[in-house]
Amino acid sequence: MFPTKVKRLLQLRHTLWLCPSFKAACSRLVLGIETSCDDTGAAVMDETGKILGESLHSQKEVHLRTGGIIPTVAQQLHRENLERVVQEALERSVVAPSQLFAVATTVKPGLGLSLGIGLDFSRRFVRRHNKPFIPIHHMEAHALTVRMLQPVPFPFLVLLVSGGHSLLAVARGVDDFLLLGHSMDEAPGDTMDKVARRLSLIKHPQCSTLSGGQAIELLAKDGDRARFPFRTPMGQTYDCCFSFAGLRNQVNMAIMKKEAEEGVEQGTLLSCVQDIAAATQHTVASHLAKRTHRAIVFCKENGLLPSSNPTLVLSGGVASNQYIRKTLSIITETTGLHLVCPPAEFCTDNGVMIAWNGVERLREGKGILPPNVDVSYEPKAPLGVDMIAEVRAAAIRLPSIRIKIPN
Ligand code: KG4
Ligand code: ZN
């Protein structure tokens, strides 16, 4: 039997361990801050990747009403909400600023006005509390979020599709990426948002609070895509880049034609919105699938992925689309890759993904800066080493794969 004194000490240790602030003191804690676009997010995470507390303020409804993101409006909303969001994340974690080890904040790429709010706040915060600062690349954070949830060893192929980006890259390390392709014009989420706006889906009773991409996914379930056979973009370009502006043009033409046929003004909900949604979604999905297929073949030919259990990670806001996930799964099944998608709440922007990127960097001691260092935000910031010319030079022709998915 333990002497009473030892027993008391063990009891005290047990009580302390249950206390969140004691737990916090045992692990290096990172506060993650995200303001690169239209979400104000903060989260506190321990070094094992456990989320201790988080808070997220979405500007989606405001931007839906104004018909798109107005940078000055986004900036003002970040300014109004960031302090409260950070405070909430800390309170929910039961962690005081003094208990944090470091602050990780998105500094690139994104809307300059939005990034500036997060960076200014973080700069003041780390100076006041004398904490190291970890600047974060938003797309690196999207690419690596999946590793918070399950072990996905480097290297892996990643397709990131959101409202601001579409890119294909090989992730070889926490700060080591090879860029295989990116969008030549707009991002798929942006295209779907614009198509949804052109279709006035906000007036649809089921879609009034949904983002454009979500509205298109919902309506597409009951649509017949064959009624609008849109051309898949860049059929004659044998690289891994994307283009969505031409598709949006095709969709706009089809909408104008339908409006003329039905004798209705722009802004009226057309009877065929479900079919247009289904056709748009299918064309976006098949464009993403074809470019990804080529990227997989390129990686195989150049030994860029492991021969055992090669993985494709699909993430970013558009990756929450189930039809797109299924389409990509046809490609991975055919090519022998393993497809991994984080759940929808980790595909979209939040403070958690930034905190996780901070944790990954902390573990490797990469990019951790002293509190007084001067960091600037960068609205445009390429991801990794640009391999687009090499991919284009390889000009890989693909065997055709039949993409047939029930809606
Ligand atoms: O990653 P995210 O939250 O923000 C950035 O753009 O960085 O992605 C938002 C985008 C929006 O364009 C939205 O329409 C799109 O993701 N999105 C979707 C779906 N959910 C969100 N697109 C297609 N299907 C969805 N279910
Ligand atoms: Zn994002």
Side-chain angles (χ1 to χ4, degrees), residues 186-209:
E186 56 197 47
D190 188 23
T191 306
M192 285 196 267
D193 291 341
K194 285 176 174 150
V195 166
R197 231 175 289 143
R198 180 64 183 78
L199 286 169
S200 300
L201 296 187
I202 199 162
K203 293 184 182 164
H204 193 286
Q206 284 176 286
C207 301
S208 61
T209 61

Side-chain angles (χ1 to χ4, degrees), residues 60 64 196 202 206-216 218-219:
K60 192 173 81 183
L64 271 176
I202 199 162
Q206 284 176 286
C207 301
S208 61
T209 61
L210 302 184
S211 69
Q214 287 169 323
I216 285 181
L218 182 77
L219 294 179

Side-chain angles (χ1 to χ4, degrees), residues 170-385:
V170 180
R172 301 196 299 181
V174 170
D175 61 353
D176 182 6
F177 291 81
L178 300 177
L179 183 67
L180 304 183
H182 61 174
S183 179
M184 309 304 290
D185 39 57
E186 56 197 47
D190 188 23
T191 306
M192 285 196 267
D193 291 341
K194 285 176 174 150
V195 166
R197 231 175 289 143
R198 180 64 183 78
L199 286 169
S200 300
L201 296 187
I202 199 162
K203 293 184 182 164
H204 193 286
Q206 284 176 286
C207 301
S208 61
T209 61
L210 302 184
S211 69
Q214 287 169 323
I216 285 181
E217 179 170 22
L218 182 77
L219 294 179
K221 290 194 169 103
D222 299 314
D224 175 8
R225 66 178 168 83
R227 286 192 56 202
F228 294 92
F230 299 132
R231 242 181 355 273
T232 305
M234 300 178 86
Q236 301 306 311
T237 316
Y238 303 104
D239 64 13
C240 293
C241 285
F242 304 92
S243 166
F244 296 93
L247 168 63
R248 184 155 60 81
N249 197 34
Q250 289 184 69
V251 179
N252 283 346
M253 305 282 271
I255 295 171
M256 283 197 293
K257 190 160 169 260
K258 275 286 151 196
E259 283 168 349
E261 273 172 31
E262 294 189 12
V264 297
E265 298 272 296
Q266 177 170 338
T268 314
L269 267 180
L270 287 168
S271 59
C272 57
V273 279
Q274 291 161 329
D275 303 329
I276 295 179
T280 305
Q281 177 178 260
H282 176 78
T283 313
V284 167
S286 84
H287 183 39
L288 295 175
K290 285 184 174 150
R291 311 323 269 186
T292 306
H293 188 182
R294 180 169 291 112
I296 293 171
V297 175
F298 181 82
C299 286
K300 286 188 172 181
E301 286 181 357
N302 291 280
L304 297 176
L305 293 176
S307 46
S308 136
N309 206 22
T311 300
L312 170 69
V313 170
L314 170 62
S315 194
V318 176
S320 36
N321 183 296
Q322 293 302 322
Y323 188 91
I324 290 174
R325 286 186 182 207
K326 278 189 206 136
T327 307
L328 265 302
S329 74
I330 293 174
I331 301 298
T332 49
E333 273 162 30
T334 314
T335 51
L337 264 74
H338 176 54
L339 177 65
V340 185
C341 312
E345 72 265 31
F346 292 118
C347 280
T348 48
D349 293 352
N350 54 60
V352 171
M353 67 185 226
I354 306 305
W356 170 252
N357 204 258
V359 165
E360 290 239 53
R361 286 181 165 273
L362 199 60
R363 286 179 181 172
E364 298 212 355
K366 284 187 169 152
I368 300 150
L369 309 177
N372 56 357
V373 80
D374 231 1
V375 178
S376 312
Y377 63 79
E378 294 169 53
K380 287 198 188 316
L383 177 76
V385 177

Side-chain angles (χ1 to χ4, degrees), residues 113-128:
L113 294 178
S114 297
L115 289 166
I117 298 293
L119 180 57
D120 281 349
F121 176 91
S122 305
R123 238 195 252 137
R124 277 181 271 116
F125 189 97
V126 295
R127 281 180 195 175
R128 186 175 340 126

Side-chain angles (χ1 to χ4, degrees), residues 135-153:
I136 302 293
H137 190 299
H138 184 81
M139 303 315 288
E140 286 185 12
H142 269 308
L144 302 189
T145 308
V146 70
R147 286 162 49 87
M148 177 184 84
L149 306 163
Q150 63 190 94
V152 180

